[in-house]
Amino acid sequence: MQNKTLFLTSAAAVAAATLLVGCATTPPGPTAAELDAQAMAMMKASFREQGIAKLDRIQQDLGQSACSSDKPPTEAVAKQVEAEALASIKWPTGGQYIGDWRAGERLAQDGRGMAWNNPSTDPKNNGGQCYNCHAIDKKEISFGTIGPSLWNYGKLRGVKDVTDPVSAPIVQYTWGKLWNSKAYAACSNMPRMGHMKLLDEQQIRDLMALLLDPKSPVNQ
Amino acid sequence: MADPMRIRAQMAGDKATVRVLMNHEMETGLRRDPAGKAIPAWFIQDVSAQHNGKPILTAQWGASISKNPFLQFSVKGAKAGDRIAVTWKDNKGDTRTDEATVS
Amino acid sequence: MRPIPFIAAALALALSAGAMAQEKTSADGIAEYRKMLQDGNPADLFEAKGEDLWKKARGPKNATLQKCDLGLGAGVVKGAWVQLPRHFADTNKVQDVESRLVTCMETLQGFNAEELIKTPFGSGEQNNITALATWIAAESRGQRFALPQNHAEEKRFYELGKRAFFFRGGPMDFSCASCHTEAGKRIRLQDLPELTKNPGDGVGFAAWPAYRVSNGQMWGMQLRLNDCYRQQRFPYPGFISDVTVALSVYMGVNAKGAQSIAPSIKR
Amino acid sequence: MLNRRTLLTHSTKVAALLASAGLLPQFAHAAYNAAAFEMKTMAELVKLLGGSAPIESKDVTITGPDIAENGAVVPVGASTALPGVKRLLILVEKNPSVLSAAFDVSDSVDASFTTRVKMGQSSNVYAVAMMGDGKVLFAQKEVKVTLGGCGG
């Protein structure tokens, strides 16, 4: 099957080159648009499903395809992605934003979930994988640097009481960022934890507590 | 049969530095396979070395030695061209001996 | 009185650098750990096995691989690794080392290519392919990457590889680019090579095949990419599928001039 | 639990092997001491091996990294320049079995060995020198084991 695809795509490339050969001094390769189409065909032909990882995972949504090149999307597309993401955010039931920072720390440490060797896509089996990319509690020296440091996240933003209305904007922003990071940056590297059902509401509450609870070690 | 070892023996001053890599799983017996079944312990227990046929070292290992074990030691009074042999034996009774020439 | 401002300044500097200093210490510790492992890389075991396999008559045709053309002519191994993947006229395909080995094992030794491709990593002939790739890479140790980009298919595969590199998908919106487009970034404590350009000697593409201490396995680039896609939460890339070869062309061409240290040792 | 049972079956197996040890002369004098690999602490272990209470000593050296990027492979070395050393041990305090390796020192080799051990968690590692006169000297070092990245 792979062979056939390759044959077909190269045949197409040869055909395209033959057509154009009359009006160019050097035989041109495929155009950018042709390569885009060939790349999509290649992605489709090269992968097979395995365990919980089905082929729909390489069917891109608007945001994914808009952020799939070395150039950022146009401002209009970025705005559209962000607006759709913002509208998708599910705010917490009963306005309960904050859970248990201890459970949050365990989630932040846990990098498992959603890979083809994992048993199920149930959020209960997933970690938040936060330390992969962020410094969080200073005591953990094994942290990544793709995202910004979250040490003193709540403290630096002046959160003394998470229920105080003064804290509401930062509390809501943090929930939104965890639920669907693309609401605030179309091509954010951060997974959409809530929107893609990587974590459930309670798990996000626990991460919220890790970041915002004045008692959390992060804010000492 | 077990795969061969890699033995390098190089002169350093009046001694030969011997570095050995062994092909072995070194299963602790404490791990489980994906189906939840305990993986039986399988590890090298005895290691010995000979210099030109004369025993110079014996060692006993537990299952906590890393997979594909590494061992380094120095042989006194060795010279280029001497033979260094290393033997291991595991808990299943499998054994392997390989030899290197000091360079 | 003179020294006081100096001391105060130094103290202030020391305080502000406090957090940084701790990070530096763990980075130094990790560097020291990696250095300790350099001497006695178990990859040597696989390299030796690969050399034996190359010279041993095997398969239904009971033949060796010594007439296998890795791009520099039949049987030429030295220097071949740093020019792979490349286009091969006989198959009219761009092939990486593993893909080329499958071709040679089929044509010279009579193995069934489909069977080889279906064999899971870490078992049977797949282990032999990894060992062979390890030895082939080792024969070019110290040489600099110079993938050919003359053939139209080589250029096309570079472009396809670039597109695959930036392709976002899966439940976590990851692409290769999520982790590998900036210098100096880490996942946990693991440094991430910047793969859109030459990331330096012995870094990124120039560091594989490698022995993985975490699981005691030898990994060729095919398994390396396979596990990248597992961690990207993608579906399963076929062994020697076009996407894997195209990505290798993209990374390999970008790594032009980087010195190969393969086989190396990795966390 | 599992550990003990496995080791017990080993002891039987080893006993059987010893009966045929004549085939392997280099091992004839070194029966595998399965009991030693069941000990949980340095004190227990040294007592079992017939040594006196271990004393920390500058004359014994333990080498290893401050931080191990992966606990599956931690390079450790034990050495001493003291004359009269009979045996060098490498221990990992928090492993299920404290003893990793025991090297019998002869006049033909340096009392210096390097190997690699598995560590389940951050722990002290020890080099223990058992001397001909029954004294037991040791050196220790803490090795931090870091968590791996990503999904593992």
Side-chain angles (χ1 to χ4, degrees), chain B residues 1 6 12 22 49 56 86 98 100:
Chain B
M1 201 187 70
R6 283 282 256 188
M22 309 172 192
I56 51 169
V86 177
D98 289 283

Coordinates of all heavy atoms in Angstrom, one line a residue, chain B residues 1 6 12 22 49 56 86 98 100:
Chain B
M1 N 22.4 -19.9 23.1 CA 23.6 -19.5 23.9 C 23.7 -18.0 24.0 O 23.2 -17.3 23.1 CB 24.8 -20.0 23.1 CG 26.0 -20.2 24.0 SD 27.5 -20.6 23.1 CE 27.9 -19.1 22.2
R6 N 32.1 -8.1 25.3 CA 33.1 -7.2 24.8 C 34.1 -6.9 25.9 O 33.8 -6.4 26.9 CB 32.5 -5.9 24.3 CG 31.7 -6.0 23.0 CD 32.6 -6.0 21.8 NE 32.6 -4.7 21.1 CZ 33.2 -4.5 20.0 NH1 33.9 -5.5 19.4 NH2 33.2 -3.4 19.4
A12 N 48.0 0.5 31.2 CA 48.1 1.9 31.7 C 49.2 1.8 32.8 O 48.9 1.2 33.9 CB 46.7 2.3 32.3
M22 N 28.9 -7.1 29.3 CA 28.3 -8.5 29.1 C 26.9 -8.3 28.6 O 26.2 -7.3 28.9 CB 28.2 -9.2 30.5 CG 29.5 -9.2 31.2 SD 29.4 -9.8 32.9 CE 31.0 -9.3 33.6
A49 N 37.7 -13.8 36.7 CA 38.6 -13.4 35.6 C 39.9 -14.2 35.8 O 40.3 -14.5 36.9 CB 38.9 -11.9 35.7
I56 N 42.4 -14.6 39.0 CA 42.8 -13.3 39.6 C 41.6 -12.6 40.3 O 41.8 -11.7 41.1 CB 43.4 -12.3 38.6 CG1 42.5 -12.1 37.4 CG2 44.8 -12.8 38.2 CD1 42.9 -11.0 36.5
V86 N 37.4 -13.6 30.9 CA 36.3 -13.3 31.9 C 35.2 -14.4 31.7 O 34.8 -14.7 30.6 CB 35.7 -11.9 31.7 CG1 34.6 -11.6 32.7 CG2 36.8 -10.9 31.9
D98 N 34.7 -15.3 27.7 CA 35.4 -14.7 26.5 C 36.7 -14.2 26.9 O 37.0 -14.1 28.1 CB 34.5 -13.5 26.0 CG 33.2 -13.9 25.4 OD1 33.3 -14.4 24.2 OD2 32.2 -13.9 26.0
A100 N 40.3 -11.6 25.9 CA 40.9 -10.5 25.1 C 42.4 -10.5 25.3 O 42.9 -11.1 26.3 CB 40.3 -9.2 25.6

